[in-house]
Amino acid sequence: PEPGRCAHFVLRKKRFCRMIPAPGRRFCGEHGHEEEQNDRKRIPCPLDPKHTVYEDQLQKHLKKCNSREKPKPVYFVQDINAGLKDVAEIPEKQVPLSSLSMEELQNLITKLKKASNGLELHLKEQILSHQALQEALSDPKNGESAFKHLKQQASILGNMEKLHLLGPGRCFVEFGAGRGKLSHWVDIALENVESVQFLLVERATTRFKVDGKHKRRDSVFERLQVDIQHLCLNKVPILEKKKLPVVGIGKHLCGAATDLALRCLLESYSTCCDGEDEEPAPKRCRAAQTEVAPPKSAGNESTTEDHKPVAGIVIALCCHHKCDWTHYVGREFFKSVGLGPVEFHYFQRMSSWATCGMQETTSKASTSEDSEDQTNDTEEHEHTLSRTASGSDTLRGMLSAEERKEIGCLCKRLIDHGRIEYLQQQGYKAALQYYTESAVSLENVLLTAVPNPSLRPEPTV
């Protein structure tokens, strides 16, 4: 062993343990049972058997073990945004797509085309930019991958500006925030604007966060480490206190996470104000909407958001093959066109055909100085798509590459249309548009929604 290190030899790693023992000891605490003079027994931790603990110190260890269940934050409400509660509606066993016969596949494609008939399938191209990112976009130090992410972020901000969502007195909630890059650029765009809050929602711990880079003292960044499925925004202390209108944003919000975010914003945010100890107030939706304070200075902006807790939604969609019927907000639309969970299962799998070109781009992706963007998008999204696309190898003899791509795009638009109808039923003017070129990102569709004064929200069943 190295001087001052544990004398235990780790067979699996073929080296000595690198932990530092206590003064006068040859072994660290984990391997202290190997000390000849030590007759205390070590046992596997019941919370995590990957590490051991002295038997006579078990109760003390359980109180501070890193694997113990952490106290839930006040805004954690189990399955508040989960959606479907009745699992009887979901088939127990799904046949893999690759196991379908040509006749069954053609039947699905016929249903898909029939359901898509009359829908707006050719999206408007709305590729914009924003002054806040011009300096970064012209910086030659950025690699190709970083440049692609900057172009996407610039277009998202440009679309937000066009919808008058970049204003004072708002709380921007970034779902699937990762390092928080999108919120960072929104903060820079609002450099001279007062009373701005940022809530960064991410279920996993994240390294190399950029939250600390914002320079303005009057903008507050707060991280919520929670799954969107269990997030009740009404219970977030800063929103309870300030009652600011919320703008929901996200860049490449994977599959079901988009549906969870929409439910979080438009259902639980208006209906879960009351705690368990308070008397329930029926039909809180309308009341909750009038409690939200309007922005301090709206200028020439539309005032329709004054009566809604959610001032707008701007989400770059991604990974439709990760959608889930349980969480999907467009179930009523699917049922209205004669489709159900079985068809949804196949359509969400077939949606990956639209982006199976990512299988090639993964290996060709250039190295970027912006390591987080490379990891967050290229690895998480493109590698996942590669695996999904490769699962349909057996179907390549049945359909050409162009046919599969066309069907995949049709599946995406059908799933997205269900989301549009859901937003419209909630009283929002919703739209889909291409916000960047396919050469920048194959997942290049942006979902936007702002309050629509001519549409009144229907009661949620």
Side-chain angles (χ1 to χ4, degrees), residues 308-320:
K308 288 183 177 293
V310 179
I313 299 170
V314 180
I315 295 175
L317 303 174
C318 181
C319 299
H320 292 71

Side-chain angles (χ1 to χ4, degrees), residues 81-84 255-267 313 317 323-335 344 414-426 447 460:
N81 307 311
L84 188 66
T258 294
D259 299 298
L260 294 172
L262 293 179
R263 290 189 187 279
C264 177
L265 290 166
L266 302 181
E267 292 184 31
I313 299 170
L317 303 174
C323 290
D324 190 303
W325 178 258
T326 305
H327 308 311
Y328 181 50
V329 297
R331 291 196 303 266
E332 291 305 314
F333 161 70
F334 258 63
K335 292 175 183 177
F344 180 84
L414 189 68
I415 292 172
D416 289 339
H417 186 80
R419 292 163 169 168
I420 293 293
E421 287 212 354
Y422 168 80
L423 288 165
Q424 290 172 347
Q425 290 168 5
Q426 297 291 326
L447 171 67
T460 304

